[in-house]
Amino acid sequence: MFENVSPADVKLSNITIPLKWVKIDPAKYKSDCWKYRVFCLLRSGTQVIDSKDLVPINMLSDNITFPDTFILKDLSPDFVIDIELYYACIDENGKKKNKKTESSESNL
């Protein structure tokens, strides 16, 4: 189907991902984890690129934006890019509260 097609580079920047939180009443919420630090990982074939900074969000955030520019090189015409988010709860001093970092994955 893709005969005589050259590989291409794909550049993604300012990736914004909408967030969906479970509706809660902050006065009744018992958890002490309201703030998070998130980083983004992009995978395509054998290429893996991560965001340079940890982006802060809290449970009132509607979306998260990664200001980085990601360049994936020599992709075939039928490429797939997996976007993974990794996050950890942080305390008021900016330190990680739990030992485990969670992840979520999406395909582009």
Side-chain angles (χ1 to χ4, degrees):
M1 178 176 175
F2 296 110
E3 294 178 26
N4 300 323
V5 178
S6 300
D9 295 350
V10 174
K11 178 179 176 181
L12 300 169
S13 61
N14 292 318
I15 296 174
T16 299
I17 300 170
L19 299 174
K20 182 178 179 183
W21 299 98
V22 175
K23 297 281 184 196
I24 58 168
D25 178 1
K28 295 178 182 177
Y29 189 63
K30 302 291 185 204
S31 175
D32 56 353
C33 191
W34 279 84
K35 296 180 181 178
Y36 299 86
R37 296 270 183 200
V38 182
F39 78 92
C40 177
L41 192 76
L42 276 68
R43 293 179 195 264
S44 186
T46 59
Q47 296 181 65
V48 178
I49 304 172
D50 65 340
S51 56
K52 300 199 180 359
D53 295 321
L54 295 173
V55 177
I57 61 168
N58 63 45
M59 292 187 77
L60 300 176
S61 302
D62 291 335
N63 59 49
I64 184 170
T65 299
F66 296 93
D68 306 70
T69 298
F70 304 92
I71 300 174
L72 297 157
K73 298 188 175 283
D74 298 323
L75 297 181
S76 65
D78 59 344
F79 71 90
V80 172
I81 299 173
D82 294 319
I83 299 175
E84 300 175 23
L85 299 179
Y86 291 87
Y87 60 94
C89 179
I90 58 166
D91 64 18
E92 51 280 341
N93 297 320
K95 298 198 182 210
K96 190 173 166 183
K97 292 183 97 167
N98 53 7
K99 293 181 181 175
K100 185 177 178 187
T101 300
E102 304 291 334
S103 70
S104 179
E105 185 176 329
S106 178
N107 290 343
L108 177 70

